Amino acid sequence: MSLDERDAPLLTLLRVGRIFAPAPLEATDLLIADGRIAALGRDLAVPEGWPVHLVEARDLTAVPAFIDQHVHVTGGGGEGGCGSRCPEITAREIAAMGIGTVVGVLGTDGISRSPADLLAKVRGLKAEGIAAYMYTGSYRVPPPTLTGDVQRDLAWIPEVIGLGELAISDHRSSQPRQDEIARLVSEARVGGMLAGKRGICHFHVGDGQRGLEPLRRLLAETEIPAEQVIPTHVNRHRALLEEAADYALTFAASVDVTAFDDPGEEGLSGFDAVSRLLARGVPVTRITMSSDCNGSLPEFDTQGNYIGMRVARNTALIADWQRLVHEEVLPFDQALGLISGHVARVLGLHDRKGRLAIGHDADVTLLDGNLQPQQTFVAGKRLYARDSSP
């Protein structure tokens, strides 16, 4: 059967070896109806004559499809001029890593790439089957928006689930004042409330000396709850990761680790960062991982001059996550939360994603014994199978 299953029957029955939802289940069958999980059990039967697509995968393990909350879907970069713009990502590149949901971001370049471009790409990915969302804004303050207002973007644009990635402690940021940060986070919060969304503010944290201090002040000096604020790239250097651990413990806040392709001499890999946060006593439920995929990995000299760039990929995200399980840093079911359930909670999507449960979206990844994604289903439609050609 073709990977393009838009015309497939409304019913799909997966028969697998094991199901982690994320906790292990006795069930080995998963019935999907109209894009959602209709039943979980053993030896599930469908009435004779009903159209059903049967997937036999007894050698594979079903888990919630992964969620990547930080993807430059239109490509990042641009710090070295127009020739340094990163390419867009494809739906197949996403699904091949077992990822069913992405959140698109703009980064340094909010000029040649706009929120409108981002929305168009997000809707294109949705048309191809990926569950795709976006943050309005970019590094810049005031942030570029679709409607001219952060609250209106959140209230009226279904795909917009927050504001980001707003840059702090970085020479590429707008150097926002503390009151500007507080105002923007409150705008995102209220806009989210009006739309029934979480309305998070997703913060890019650079390697500047201020680190997380702007966010610490925000939570200490205002009524903004910690769940509205998500700092990412907290493992770009060791001192920042230690500060992130203190921040998470002090405010019961979540922090997002980036699975860097090459963390360099100063940074830590996603594996090392999660391991260190856990050793510091940060609850695993307060840690998420993302890829920064198709963003730029620019290099600057000591004066801040651009000297080169590489393009980030999402392969490191899966490799770091697999290593956490293989080296027994975390049990398999707990590790799943780092790239599924915890992320769904942070984004406010936990009522439909991040779990395999009746009524939830049928976003399912099938893993082999080495935890390598073999098939990816989103809303019950198979978007990727490892043994199939593009």
Side-chain angles (χ1 to χ4, degrees):
M1 179 174 289
S2 168
L3 292 183
D4 186 352
E5 296 180 359
R6 291 178 177 81
D7 298 325
L10 292 182
L11 293 179
T12 298
L13 180 59
L14 305 184
R15 298 194 188 278
V16 299
R18 297 199 67 184
I19 297 176
F20 282 78
L25 302 182
E26 292 295 326
T28 55
D29 292 357
L30 191 153
L31 181 65
I32 299 167
D34 198 20
R36 299 216 173 185
I37 298 173
L40 294 158
R42 283 182 175 272
D43 302 318
L44 294 179
V46 175
E48 185 176 353
W50 285 29
V52 60
H53 174 212
L54 178 62
V55 178
E56 289 283 0
R58 298 290 189 181
D59 57 335
L60 302 179
T61 297
V63 300
F66 305 145
I67 304 171
D68 193 346
Q69 67 176 308
H70 190 114
V71 182
H72 293 272
V73 294
T74 56
E79 292 94 337
C82 293
S84 63
R85 287 159 51 99
C86 299
E88 294 188 359
I89 195 170
T90 67
R92 185 175 179 83
E93 288 173 317
I94 295 168
M97 291 296 105
I99 297 166
T101 301
V102 295
V103 184
V105 302
L106 294 177
T108 309
D109 182 6
I111 302 299
S112 71
R113 290 183 168 99
S114 70
D117 298 323
L118 184 56
L119 178 61
K121 177 63 176 181
V122 163
R123 289 183 173 174
L125 289 172
K126 288 173 64 179
E128 293 183 83
I130 298 294
Y133 302 88
M134 64 176 281
Y135 304 116
T136 191
S138 68
Y139 275 21
R140 189 157 49 104
V141 175
T145 62
L146 290 155
T147 66
D149 182 84
V150 169
Q151 286 194 25
R152 282 198 290 267
D153 278 13
L154 276 154
W156 302 131
I157 311 298
E159 292 85 355
V160 175
I161 60 171
L163 173 66
E165 61 173 308
L166 186 64
I168 59 172
S169 303
D170 194 302
H171 66 92
R172 295 167 291 174
S173 79
S174 296
Q175 311 304 320
R177 301 187 311 269
Q178 193 66 35
D179 64 310
E180 292 177 310
I181 293 172
R183 176 61 58 86
L184 285 170
V185 176
S186 65
E187 289 286 309
R189 174 172 172 76
V190 174
M193 293 171 66
L194 296 175
K197 303 172 183 176
R198 177 61 55 81
I200 65 169
C201 199
H202 191 77
F203 279 94
H204 161 106
V205 185
D207 58 7
Q209 293 183 352
R210 287 175 294 172
L212 292 171
E213 180 61 22
L215 303 188
R216 298 178 73 96
R217 286 189 57 188
L218 174 75
L219 298 184
E221 298 174 4
T222 74
E223 297 74 33
I224 298 294
E227 67 182 11
Q228 299 300 136
V229 180
I230 306 300
T232 191
H233 313 323
V234 297
N235 52 316
R236 66 169 61 250
H237 60 77
R238 287 166 172 77
L240 180 59
L241 187 72
E242 293 300 318
E243 186 182 4
D246 291 334
Y247 168 86
L249 292 168
T250 299
F251 297 103
S254 294
V255 294
D256 186 54
V257 166
T258 302
F260 294 116
D261 284 334
D262 179 6
E265 294 183 3
E266 297 296 324
L268 294 94
S269 69
F271 169 83
D272 289 331
V274 171
S275 299
R276 179 57 184 161
L277 289 171
L278 292 170
R280 282 290 313 276
V282 178
V284 66
T285 55
R286 293 295 176 184
I287 306 170
T288 59
M289 297 176 67
S290 62
S291 71
D292 201 14
C293 187
N294 284 59
S296 63
L297 300 172
E299 297 180 20
F300 301 94
D301 63 21
T302 55
Q303 284 74 47
N305 298 310
Y306 172 85
I307 58 176
M309 185 196 76
R310 293 177 295 108
V311 179
R313 298 298 182 189
N314 57 12
T315 51
L317 176 64
I318 306 307
D320 280 339
W321 173 78
Q322 290 168 338
R323 189 179 169 195
L324 287 164
V325 178
H326 290 321
E327 299 193 18
E328 300 183 350
V329 174
L330 282 168
F332 180 53
D333 55 340
Q334 291 187 31
L336 283 170
L338 296 169
I339 53 175
S340 60
H342 306 338
V343 190
R345 188 200 72 243
V346 161
L347 299 176
L349 303 175
H350 53 287
D351 61 337
R352 58 187 305 177
K353 296 187 181 295
R355 292 176 57 212
L356 299 182
I358 293 174
H360 275 53
D361 290 350
D363 299 349
V364 185
T365 293
L366 302 184
L367 303 174
D368 65 17
N370 292 318
L371 308 184
Q372 189 66 32
Q374 297 296 314
Q375 298 186 45
T376 305
F377 295 79
V378 181
K381 296 173 183 174
R382 187 170 59 186
L383 302 188
Y384 172 78
R386 188 176 179 85
D387 58 356
S388 299
S389 60

